[in-house]
Amino acid sequence: MLVHRKNDNIDWKVTGLLTLGSVPAVLMTLWFLSSLHTAPDALNAIIKQALGFVLLLTALAILFKKRLLAFAHGRGDGHSFFSGTSLTILTVITGLILGTMVALTSIGAGALGTVALFILYPLLPTRRLVGTEIAHAVPLTLVAGLGHASMGNMNWELLGWLLMGSLPGIYLGSHMAGRVSDDLLRPCLAVMLGIIGFKLAF
């Protein structure tokens, strides 16, 4: 996020509107989950099914990313379907949906959030859309993570092992990304997420 901030790739107004919806949604969702502590089976069922549906949505967003972006950019020739108050409200609602999904499943702020912003803000440069979504993901995931930690839902040992693998993975992935064809990587990732999501949801 610091790099995006330095390069002026963040629209702070949009970030604020997203956060206005997402952070309260996270808090409300965490409160709802905490009220189900006496029924762990119900809690597990809700999280499992929600995770499945979000994975399916993410798979669709990845699979049809080019078409969605083409649709958004096709509207970027001087006009937008949304403006003024309606755009503000839709941005807050988008944040609310993303916050709920992240609190339930830890997924949604990336692929789905970026696609939603592309559709809502077709006139905004791509680099600023991506930077804005990354900036929004910071407080969103922080609040969700701290909330789950306070509920005792954090396995710190597992988190440590995940970080040991994911941080080098991010470094390697960022260097390998340009060498793997997006046309090959996208459908493979979408199919994998779709299969996992289907098994969890149904």
Side-chain angles (χ1 to χ4, degrees), residues 44-200:
N44 290 336
I46 290 173
I47 294 177
K48 182 180 178 182
Q49 195 161 41
L51 178 59
F53 281 116
V54 173
L55 284 174
L56 287 173
L57 285 174
T58 304
L60 290 173
I62 292 172
L63 191 60
F64 296 105
K65 180 181 177 182
K66 281 190 174 180
R67 294 185 182 182
L68 290 170
L69 297 187
F71 169 74
H73 286 302
R75 293 168 39 221
D77 54 356
H79 71 285
S80 173
F81 287 162
F82 313 108
S83 61
T85 304
S86 62
L87 181 59
T88 298
I89 293 173
L90 285 172
T91 305
V92 174
I93 291 174
T94 298
L96 189 149
I97 294 171
L98 293 175
T100 302
M101 290 193 300
V102 168
L104 279 174
T105 68
S106 79
I107 298 172
L112 296 179
T114 303
V115 169
L117 287 182
F118 266 113
I119 294 173
L120 289 175
Y121 296 91
L123 304 180
L124 206 60
T126 301
R127 61 180 178 82
R128 300 205 76 197
L129 284 171
V130 174
T132 298
E133 180 50 38
I134 291 174
H136 166 243
V138 173
L140 171 57
T141 53
L142 178 63
V143 172
L146 291 176
H148 277 288
S150 68
M151 293 166 58
N153 295 340
M154 194 82 74
N155 185 321
W156 295 101
E157 182 180 357
L158 178 59
L159 176 62
W161 287 113
L162 286 172
L163 288 174
M164 286 178 63
S166 62
L167 294 178
I170 291 171
Y171 176 80
L172 291 174
S174 63
H175 284 77
M176 293 176 61
R179 302 179 183 180
V180 180
S181 171
D182 192 49
D183 292 332
L184 173 64
L185 188 61
R186 191 188 311 111
C188 290
L189 182 59
V191 169
M192 180 185 69
L193 292 177
I195 292 173
I196 297 172
F198 184 83
K199 291 188 69 175
L200 288 174

